[in-house]
Amino acid sequence: MNVFVLNCGSSSLKFQIIETDADLIEKDADRQLAKGLIERIGSEAIVTLQVGDNPPFRGAQPLRDHKAALAHVINWVMAPETHIPGISGLSDIHAVGHRVVHGAERFKGSHLIDKSVIAGIQECIDLAPLHNPANLKGIFAAIELFGPAMPQVAVFDTAFHSTMPETAYLYALPYQLYRRFKIRKYGFHGTSHRYVAFRYRKLTGKQRKETNIITVHLGNGCSACAIRGGQSVDTSMGMTPLEGLMMGTRSGDIDPTVIEFLMHKEGTSVDEIFSTLNKRSGLLGISGLTNDMRDLEGEAEEHQDRRAILAIEMFCYRVKKYIGGYMAILNGTDAICFAGGIGENAPGIRKRILGNMEWLGVEIDDGRNAKAIRGREMLISSDTSRVPVYVIPTNEELILARDTVRAVKSLPFPG
Ligand code: ADP
C-alpha cells in the first residue's frame, strides 16, 4: 500500500508517501517514496518537495489555508514530470495517516477515522487548543481532496503514554478536578518514543517485555520517557507539551505561582504569559539569542557568550535530572536512547548530559559519540559501560504509515 502521511501544524504541513504493508513491515522493507514541507501557510508559503533521494525542489507559493496547501501537494504528486515510482494517479494512494496531537483518555491507539473519531478529536480541543484544530484542518482537507472513500487513520501523540499508571499521571490536585475535567499528565512525542523503543529491540534482539529503557527526544520540543516492559510508565510532558524539560522556546517545569506573580507585577494577561512560556522561554528565553542549539553552541564556543553557555548548561542539567529520576523509578535502566534534532546531532550536548554518571554505570565513548551525527543509529557508550547508550534517529512518519496499514487491514497493533 502507498500511504500518504500527513502532519499539519498551525501554519505548516509536512507529508511523506511511504510504501508499506504487512509483508514489508515484517521485513523492515518499507520505502519512503516522496516527502515535503510547506511552511507559512496563510501567506507566501515556502514549499519544499522531494522525490526519494533526488535533490529537493524549493519554491514560494501563495497558499491561503491547509486545503490549498494539500491541493498544491496533490497536484505536484500527480504531475507527470514529478515521477514518483509507482504513482501515476490518485488511485495509487491507498490510505492517509494523520498525526493527531491530543487523544486524551479516549484514544489509546490508532483509529480509522469516522464521524465519531472526528467528534472525539474535537472534544480534545480544550486540552490542545494549539494543535488539534490544525490536525482537524488536515483531516477535513484530506477527506475533501482524496474523496470520502479514501481510508483515513488518526495516530495520536498521546496514545503510547496511555499505559502510565495513576501514580505517574495524576497531579496532586483535588481529585475531583481529575474526575470532572480529566486534568492529568498525558505526555506527547508518543510515536517517537515508541519508534525508538522498537528500534532498540531490533538492535538488541530483545522482546517487548524485556524493554526497560529511557528514551530522550530532544528537538525543538523535548521530552523523556521511562519505558518498562515495553510500555511508557512516565514521561516528562504533561497535560500539554509545556511541562518537563527545557525546550527551544518552552519553559518546561516552573512553579505555577510565577504566572500569578507576573499578572500582578506586569499587569499581563494570562494569554500573554502563556505565549511567553510557550514561545519566548527555554533556550531562546535564557540566551536572548536563539532557540537553535547549533547557533547556541557556536556562540558559546566562538564568543564565550555567557547566556548561551548558561542556556546550554540549564538544558543539559534538566535532562540529566529527569534521566536520574527515571533510573530511580525503573530500578536502573537497560539503556538510554537519544533521538530528535539535538539528540541525534549534538555530541557535545549528549556528553554534557551523561557526563559524571559513571557511578550509575553510564560511560560515554568520546570517539563513538563524535561519530553519531546526521541520522546514524549507533552505540555511543564504551564497552565497559554498564548502561549502553544509543543514538536512534527517530522516524515518526514510519510509525504513522505502519499504523495506517494496520488500521485499514485490521491487523494487530504492536506497542
Ligand atoms: P522539531 O522538534 O521541530 O521536529 P528537530 O527534531 O528537527 O525539531 O530539532 C531541532 C533542533 O535540533 C534545533 O534546536 C536544532 O538546532 C537542533 N540541531 C539540529 N542539528 C544540530 C546539530 N548538528 N548540532 C546541534 N543541534 C542541532
Side-chain angles (χ1 to χ4, degrees):
M1 279 176 76
N2 296 323
V3 179
F4 190 96
V5 171
L6 192 56
N7 178 357
C8 286
S10 57
S11 63
S12 69
L13 178 160
K14 268 195 231 170
F15 77 93
Q16 285 195 14
I17 302 174
I18 298 177
E19 184 190 8
T20 180
D21 221 322
D23 57 330
L24 295 175
I25 295 175
E26 186 65 37
K27 288 186 265 174
D28 230 345
D30 335 53
R31 203 154 63 111
Q32 186 210 84
L33 304 176
K35 66 175 178 180
L37 166 67
I38 301 192
E39 296 162 287
R40 295 202 204 154
I41 294 171
S43 57
E44 187 77 355
I46 305 166
V47 181
T48 311
L49 303 163
Q50 187 175 11
V51 179
D53 294 329
N54 295 348
F57 158 85
R58 288 206 176 84
Q61 173 86 18
L63 294 168
R64 67 181 179 285
D65 55 20
H66 287 78
K67 189 176 147 198
L70 183 59
H72 184 77
V73 170
I74 292 174
N75 284 338
W76 173 77
V77 168
M78 297 309 153
E81 62 275 17
T82 302
H83 293 307
I84 300 175
I87 297 197
S88 50
L90 215 53
S91 59
D92 294 320
I93 303 281
H94 304 113
V96 181
H98 296 267
R99 175 191 181 210
V100 180
V101 170
H102 217 309
E105 288 189 339
R106 177 163 176 161
F107 298 109
K108 297 186 161 64
S110 302
H111 283 269
L112 209 50
I113 295 176
D114 58 14
K115 280 197 182 127
S116 82
V117 170
I118 290 177
I121 298 171
Q122 281 166 331
E123 275 165 29
C124 301
I125 287 179
D126 253 7
L127 292 166
L130 299 176
H131 297 99
N132 277 28
N135 305 150
L136 279 165
K137 280 183 192 161
I139 292 172
F140 291 133
I143 292 173
E144 224 178 303
L145 296 169
F146 285 105
M150 176 73 81
Q152 315 240 3
V153 174
V155 181
F156 296 88
D157 261 26
T158 44
F160 181 63
H161 303 298
S162 65
T163 46
M164 278 190 291
E166 242 182 352
T167 339
Y169 73 63
L170 280 180
Y171 294 121
L173 294 168
Y175 191 77
Q176 303 86 288
L177 292 179
Y178 165 62
R179 274 230 195 92
R180 284 171 60 200
F181 304 118
K182 297 288 174 220
I183 293 175
R184 51 161 281 186
K185 181 191 273 286
Y186 291 98
F188 298 87
H189 287 150
T191 34
S192 178
H193 292 294
R194 185 176 147 202
Y195 175 81
V196 172
F198 154 75
R199 284 302 312 165
Y200 166 78
R201 285 199 294 276
K202 286 268 167 192
L203 285 170
T204 56
K206 293 215 174 181
Q207 297 299 311
R208 181 186 316 282
K209 286 225 151 43
E210 305 167 317
T211 308
N212 302 308
I213 59 171
I214 297 167
T215 51
V216 189
H217 178 112
L218 305 176
N220 255 317
C222 300
S223 69
C225 181
I227 297 176
R228 180 189 294 134
Q231 297 188 324
S232 169
V233 290
D234 203 353
T235 190
S236 55
M237 282 177 167
M239 184 170 94
T240 75
L242 188 53
E243 189 182 337
L245 302 176
M246 177 172 165
M247 313 186 202
T249 61
R250 294 191 196 117
S251 63
D253 297 331
I254 60 160
D255 181 339
T257 315
V258 170
I259 296 164
E260 191 216 16
F261 187 86
L262 265 179
M263 284 173 76
H264 289 308
K265 282 283 178 201
E266 295 207 315
T268 337
S269 68
V270 172
D271 283 357
E272 189 57 28
I273 294 170
F274 275 95
S275 179
T276 300
L277 296 178
N278 274 300
K279 297 185 184 149
R280 295 188 286 278
S281 299
L283 294 173
L284 172 66
I286 293 296
S287 70
L289 295 170
T290 171
N291 62 333
D292 192 305
M293 187 57 98
R294 266 168 302 205
D295 297 344
L296 278 181
E297 287 192 295
E299 285 299 322
E301 212 173 289
E302 284 160 36
H303 305 115
Q304 282 74 51
D305 185 279
R306 193 189 85 79
R307 278 170 50 195
I309 295 170
L310 180 62
I312 293 172
E313 282 176 353
M314 285 176 65
F315 181 90
C316 297
Y317 175 84
R318 204 59 89 84
V319 182
K320 186 194 276 285
K321 215 160 75 163
Y322 268 88
I323 290 176
Y326 288 168
M327 283 177 97
I329 63 162
L330 290 174
N331 192 16
T333 183
D334 290 348
I336 298 169
C337 304
F338 283 99
I342 300 172
E344 292 164 24
N345 297 299
I349 302 295
R350 295 190 297 250
K351 172 77 181 175
R352 204 180 265 276
I353 292 169
L354 294 182
N356 293 323
M357 283 175 75
E358 292 78 10
W359 70 284
L360 279 168
V362 183
E363 273 174 35
I364 294 294
D365 179 301
D366 291 336
R368 289 177 183 166
N369 186 32
K371 281 192 202 128
I373 47 172
R374 287 189 216 103
R376 287 189 69 186
E377 204 166 71
M378 266 187 72
L379 178 78
I380 59 164
S381 49
S382 68
D383 292 335
T384 49
S385 184
R386 269 189 288 127
V387 178
V389 180
Y390 294 91
V391 170
I392 299 184
T394 196
N395 191 347
E396 290 160 281
E397 288 79 9
L398 185 68
I399 294 272
L400 274 142
R402 288 180 169 189
D403 267 17
T404 300
V405 166
R406 291 172 183 132
V408 170
K409 299 200 163 175
S410 306
L411 300 169
F413 289 93

XYZ file of all heavy atoms in Angstrom, residues 16 18 28 30 155 157 160-161 188-203 208 211 213 215-217 225 227 230 337-340 344 375-377 391-403 406 414-415:
466
model
N 4.657 12.690 3.885
C 5.519 11.688 3.251
C 4.608 10.700 2.542
O 3.470 10.480 2.978
C 6.349 10.918 4.294
C 7.498 11.722 4.856
C 8.518 10.864 5.609
O 8.522 9.635 5.522
N 9.381 11.534 6.344
N 4.724 6.770 1.809
C 5.513 5.597 2.200
C 4.832 4.339 1.677
O 3.629 4.137 1.882
C 5.656 5.535 3.744
C 6.413 6.789 4.233
C 6.362 4.251 4.181
C 6.564 6.886 5.731
N 10.943 -5.206 7.446
C 11.507 -3.875 7.688
C 11.919 -3.239 6.357
O 12.982 -2.633 6.246
C 12.752 -3.997 8.592
C 12.654 -3.025 9.758
O 11.826 -2.115 9.696
O 13.428 -3.185 10.710
N 9.913 -1.173 4.319
C 9.056 -0.080 3.854
C 9.917 0.924 3.090
O 11.104 1.059 3.365
C 8.376 0.663 5.022
C 8.219 -0.186 6.264
O 9.217 -0.741 6.723
O 7.105 -0.278 6.783
N -3.412 8.833 14.170
C -2.388 8.267 15.063
C -2.065 9.361 16.098
O -1.699 10.474 15.725
C -1.125 7.864 14.266
C -0.074 7.256 15.177
C -1.489 6.894 13.141
N -0.342 11.319 19.347
C 0.925 11.517 20.082
C 0.851 11.039 21.524
O 1.856 10.719 22.133
C 1.214 13.029 20.154
C 2.193 13.461 19.104
O 2.262 12.776 18.080
O 2.883 14.469 19.328
N 0.792 6.338 23.113
C 1.819 5.452 23.681
C 1.898 5.608 25.205
O 2.259 4.670 25.909
C 3.179 5.778 23.042
C 4.312 4.912 23.533
C 4.306 3.547 23.316
C 5.382 5.466 24.220
C 5.352 2.742 23.764
C 6.436 4.673 24.677
C 6.418 3.307 24.451
N 1.546 6.792 25.692
C 1.659 7.044 27.133
C 0.393 6.642 27.903
O 0.310 6.865 29.107
C 1.962 8.519 27.396
C 3.209 8.997 26.704
N 4.449 8.473 26.986
C 3.406 9.923 25.731
C 5.360 9.074 26.214
N 4.753 9.940 25.452
N 3.460 13.490 25.360
C 3.424 13.663 23.896
C 4.664 12.993 23.292
O 5.373 12.290 24.011
C 3.359 15.158 23.558
C 2.103 15.771 24.118
C 2.078 16.247 25.424
C 0.932 15.799 23.384
C 0.910 16.758 25.977
C -0.238 16.310 23.932
C -0.240 16.796 25.227
N 4.912 13.234 21.987
C 6.025 12.577 21.284
C 5.899 11.042 21.371
O 6.893 10.338 21.251
C 7.403 12.944 21.896
C 7.870 14.328 21.602
N 8.675 15.022 22.479
C 7.679 15.132 20.528
C 8.955 16.207 21.966
N 8.353 16.311 20.796
N 4.671 10.553 21.599
C 4.493 9.105 21.816
C 4.976 8.272 20.647
O 5.606 7.229 20.841
N 4.717 8.740 19.410
C 5.139 7.938 18.257
C 6.669 7.884 18.179
O 7.230 6.871 17.763
C 4.580 8.500 16.924
O 4.520 9.910 17.008
C 3.217 7.967 16.628
N 7.326 8.980 18.596
C 8.791 8.981 18.566
C 9.344 8.023 19.627
O 10.197 7.186 19.334
C 9.326 10.398 18.794
O 10.728 10.373 18.814
N 8.865 8.115 20.856
C 9.359 7.219 21.909
C 9.076 5.749 21.538
O 9.892 4.865 21.768
C 8.705 7.560 23.249
C 9.135 8.907 23.782
N 10.434 9.165 24.165
C 8.456 10.066 23.981
C 10.529 10.425 24.584
N 9.344 10.993 24.472
N 7.910 5.536 20.936
C 7.537 4.169 20.532
C 8.467 3.658 19.435
O 8.916 2.510 19.465
C 6.090 4.216 20.034
C 5.502 2.905 19.688
C 4.041 3.083 19.298
N 3.666 2.127 18.292
C 2.632 2.276 17.466
N 1.879 3.353 17.528
N 2.361 1.349 16.582
N 8.778 4.520 18.455
C 9.686 4.116 17.374
C 11.072 3.789 17.933
O 11.685 2.781 17.570
C 9.798 5.229 16.313
C 10.821 4.904 15.254
C 10.504 4.046 14.198
C 12.116 5.415 15.324
C 11.453 3.723 13.242
C 13.071 5.087 14.374
C 12.735 4.236 13.332
O 13.683 3.901 12.393
N 11.568 4.644 18.835
C 12.915 4.444 19.383
C 12.961 3.120 20.165
O 13.918 2.344 20.034
C 13.327 5.654 20.257
C 14.636 5.375 20.978
C 13.464 6.908 19.397
N 11.910 2.844 20.917
C 11.866 1.573 21.671
C 11.840 0.383 20.707
O 12.491 -0.639 20.945
C 10.645 1.554 22.584
N 11.107 0.534 19.613
C 11.030 -0.525 18.599
C 12.404 -0.773 17.974
O 12.858 -1.916 17.840
C 9.988 -0.122 17.541
C 10.193 -0.706 16.184
C 9.902 -2.044 15.935
C 10.671 0.078 15.131
C 10.106 -2.594 14.670
C 10.883 -0.454 13.869
C 10.599 -1.795 13.634
N 13.125 0.308 17.628
C 14.458 0.160 17.034
C 15.445 -0.437 18.048
O 16.309 -1.219 17.697
C 14.997 1.507 16.525
C 14.415 1.996 15.234
C 14.571 1.058 14.064
N 15.921 0.537 13.885
C 16.242 -0.496 13.127
N 15.309 -1.152 12.460
N 17.479 -0.895 13.033
N 15.294 -0.028 19.315
C 16.162 -0.590 20.358
C 15.996 -2.119 20.393
O 16.977 -2.863 20.473
C 15.805 0.025 21.724
C 16.399 -0.717 22.887
C 17.750 -0.563 23.228
C 15.627 -1.613 23.641
C 18.309 -1.274 24.278
C 16.177 -2.325 24.695
C 17.515 -2.151 25.008
O 18.066 -2.862 26.039
N 14.756 -2.574 20.282
C 14.513 -4.022 20.289
C 15.155 -4.672 19.078
O 15.732 -5.746 19.159
C 13.001 -4.303 20.284
C 12.338 -4.049 21.606
C 10.999 -4.759 21.694
N 10.015 -4.247 20.773
C 9.252 -3.190 21.003
N 9.376 -2.528 22.137
N 8.372 -2.784 20.119
N 15.054 -3.996 17.915
C 15.665 -4.555 16.700
C 17.186 -4.634 16.853
O 17.803 -5.601 16.430
C 15.354 -3.663 15.495
C 13.942 -3.772 15.019
C 13.834 -4.832 13.944
C 12.362 -5.160 13.705
N 12.165 -6.340 12.903
N 17.778 -3.597 17.454
C 19.241 -3.550 17.591
C 19.752 -4.588 18.569
O 20.865 -5.096 18.427
C 19.669 -2.157 18.092
C 19.635 -1.029 17.071
C 19.841 0.318 17.745
C 20.721 -1.249 16.021
N 9.616 -7.329 23.540
C 8.956 -6.146 24.089
C 8.958 -6.152 25.616
O 9.273 -5.172 26.259
C 7.506 -6.087 23.595
C 6.713 -4.877 24.088
C 5.269 -5.000 23.675
N 5.188 -5.443 22.295
C 5.379 -4.666 21.257
N 5.634 -3.393 21.437
N 5.298 -5.146 20.038
N 11.924 -4.811 27.467
C 12.397 -3.469 27.120
C 12.228 -2.515 28.297
O 11.139 -2.011 28.548
C 11.627 -2.954 25.869
O 11.727 -3.943 24.854
C 12.186 -1.644 25.368
N 13.879 0.797 29.346
C 14.835 1.807 28.873
C 14.319 3.226 29.125
O 13.148 3.420 29.458
C 15.119 1.647 27.360
C 13.815 1.771 26.541
C 15.802 0.328 27.058
C 14.043 1.842 25.031
N 14.051 6.756 26.997
C 14.206 7.389 25.693
C 14.121 8.906 25.887
O 13.322 9.391 26.686
C 13.115 6.912 24.705
O 11.830 7.050 25.324
C 13.309 5.455 24.345
N 14.985 9.619 25.164
C 15.059 11.068 25.340
C 14.946 11.710 23.963
O 15.840 11.549 23.124
C 16.403 11.475 25.989
C 16.369 12.946 26.370
C 16.708 10.629 27.215
N 13.841 12.380 23.704
C 13.633 13.053 22.419
C 13.961 14.525 22.607
O 13.262 15.242 23.324
C 12.172 12.876 21.966
C 11.867 13.573 20.674
N 11.589 12.909 19.509
C 11.820 14.890 20.359
C 11.396 13.783 18.537
N 11.515 15.003 19.041
N 11.158 9.719 28.405
C 10.133 8.714 28.688
C 10.772 7.521 29.398
O 11.835 7.057 28.992
C 9.504 8.269 27.366
S 8.202 7.050 27.534
N 10.393 3.673 30.081
C 9.685 2.539 29.471
C 9.997 1.263 30.256
O 11.166 0.903 30.417
C 10.098 2.393 27.988
C 9.672 3.662 27.223
C 9.486 1.143 27.368
C 10.107 3.705 25.770
N 8.322 -2.547 27.833
C 7.875 -2.078 26.521
C 6.799 -1.004 26.572
O 6.355 -0.534 25.528
N 18.440 6.029 25.253
C 18.432 6.241 23.805
C 18.083 7.687 23.494
O 17.074 8.205 23.977
C 17.387 5.347 23.137
S 17.592 3.597 23.491
N 18.925 8.328 22.669
C 18.700 9.722 22.282
C 18.088 9.804 20.888
O 18.514 9.082 19.974
C 20.022 10.483 22.219
C 20.569 10.856 23.566
C 21.559 10.096 24.170
C 20.091 11.982 24.222
C 22.073 10.441 25.405
C 20.599 12.339 25.462
C 21.592 11.568 26.057
N 17.129 10.723 20.707
C 16.550 10.992 19.392
C 16.248 12.481 19.272
O 16.473 13.245 20.211
C 15.273 10.171 19.211
N 15.734 12.915 18.107
C 15.402 14.323 17.872
C 16.610 15.080 17.326
O 17.745 14.615 17.425
N 20.139 13.606 18.097
C 20.780 12.847 17.019
C 22.056 13.494 16.483
O 22.865 12.825 15.843
C 19.787 12.706 15.843
C 18.603 11.829 16.179
C 17.442 11.997 15.194
O 17.671 12.416 14.047
O 16.302 11.712 15.605
N 21.859 11.413 11.460
C 20.968 10.279 11.237
C 21.595 8.913 11.376
O 21.081 7.942 10.840
N 22.713 8.811 12.090
C 23.331 7.473 12.241
C 22.862 6.800 13.517
O 22.927 7.375 14.598
C 24.852 7.597 12.271
C 25.397 7.903 10.902
C 26.890 7.801 10.876
N 27.381 6.437 11.035
C 28.665 6.143 11.150
N 29.568 7.092 11.145
N 29.046 4.890 11.267
N 22.400 5.564 13.367
C 21.977 4.774 14.525
C 23.235 4.151 15.110
O 23.945 3.419 14.422
C 21.053 3.680 14.001
C 20.104 3.137 15.005
C 19.024 2.318 14.330
O 19.341 1.215 13.853
O 17.876 2.771 14.272
N 22.245 6.313 20.044
C 21.575 7.367 19.285
C 20.690 6.634 18.279
O 21.173 5.775 17.538
C 22.591 8.267 18.563
C 21.887 9.203 17.597
C 23.398 9.056 19.582
N 19.402 6.933 18.296
C 18.467 6.269 17.383
C 17.642 7.342 16.677
O 16.688 7.877 17.262
C 17.556 5.272 18.153
C 18.416 4.182 18.806
C 16.507 4.679 17.210
C 17.651 3.084 19.512
N 18.029 7.711 15.447
C 17.260 8.732 14.738
C 15.784 8.345 14.638
O 15.460 7.217 14.260
C 17.914 8.778 13.356
C 19.301 8.296 13.609
C 19.184 7.259 14.683
N 14.937 9.276 15.021
C 13.517 8.939 15.095
C 12.884 8.916 13.706
O 13.432 9.473 12.755
C 12.776 9.917 16.026
O 11.516 9.361 16.367
C 12.578 11.286 15.386
N 11.756 8.252 13.584
C 11.033 8.198 12.312
C 9.552 8.042 12.623
O 8.991 6.946 12.516
C 11.570 7.030 11.461
C 11.057 7.092 10.040
O 10.134 7.836 9.740
N 11.653 6.311 9.162
N 8.973 9.169 13.043
C 7.559 9.119 13.429
C 6.669 8.777 12.238
O 5.643 8.119 12.382
C 7.154 10.480 14.022
C 7.798 10.723 15.375
C 7.844 12.188 15.774
O 8.745 12.898 15.268
O 7.001 12.620 16.563
N 7.087 9.231 11.039
C 6.261 9.004 9.841
C 6.116 7.507 9.551
O 5.071 7.059 9.091
C 6.877 9.703 8.620
C 6.766 11.208 8.643
C 7.801 11.875 9.540
O 8.729 11.172 10.014
O 7.684 13.086 9.767
N 7.185 6.751 9.827
C 7.108 5.309 9.570
C 6.050 4.664 10.471
O 5.251 3.831 10.027
C 8.474 4.656 9.810
C 8.524 3.171 9.463
C 8.383 2.964 7.958
C 9.830 2.539 9.941
N 6.028 5.068 11.743
C 5.012 4.530 12.660
C 3.620 4.926 12.164
O 2.686 4.113 12.177
C 5.250 5.076 14.093
C 6.569 4.548 14.661
C 4.070 4.807 15.004
C 6.480 3.231 15.370
N 3.490 6.175 11.705
C 2.188 6.632 11.193
C 1.748 5.772 10.009
O 0.598 5.339 9.930
C 2.297 8.099 10.758
C 2.076 9.112 11.882
C 2.999 10.295 11.771
C 0.646 9.598 11.829
N 2.687 5.527 9.076
C 2.337 4.744 7.880
C 1.970 3.311 8.269
O 0.982 2.753 7.792
C 3.504 4.747 6.898
N 2.774 2.720 9.152
C 2.506 1.321 9.530
C 1.184 1.193 10.283
O 0.420 0.250 10.053
C 3.660 0.793 10.390
C 4.923 0.571 9.577
C 6.036 0.052 10.441
N 7.163 -0.399 9.632
C 8.195 -1.058 10.127
N 8.255 -1.347 11.414
N 9.190 -1.446 9.348
N 0.919 2.134 11.188
C -0.351 2.075 11.921
C -1.535 2.255 10.978
O -2.603 1.677 11.189
C -0.393 3.153 13.018
C 0.099 2.609 14.353
O 0.762 1.545 14.343
O -0.176 3.228 15.403
N -2.140 -1.028 9.421
C -2.734 -1.943 10.411
C -4.206 -1.620 10.649
O -5.046 -2.523 10.744
C -1.967 -1.858 11.731
C -0.565 -2.434 11.630
C 0.219 -2.146 12.890
N 1.584 -2.623 12.781
C 2.662 -1.906 13.094
N 2.537 -0.668 13.555
N 3.865 -2.413 12.967
N 1.243 -3.564 17.388
C 2.235 -3.734 18.454
C 2.414 -2.387 19.148
O 2.117 -1.354 18.570
C 3.497 -4.121 17.688
C 3.304 -3.618 16.316
C 1.845 -3.470 16.068
N 2.931 -2.378 20.385
C 3.053 -1.114 21.129
C 4.045 -0.175 20.511
O 4.767 -0.513 19.606
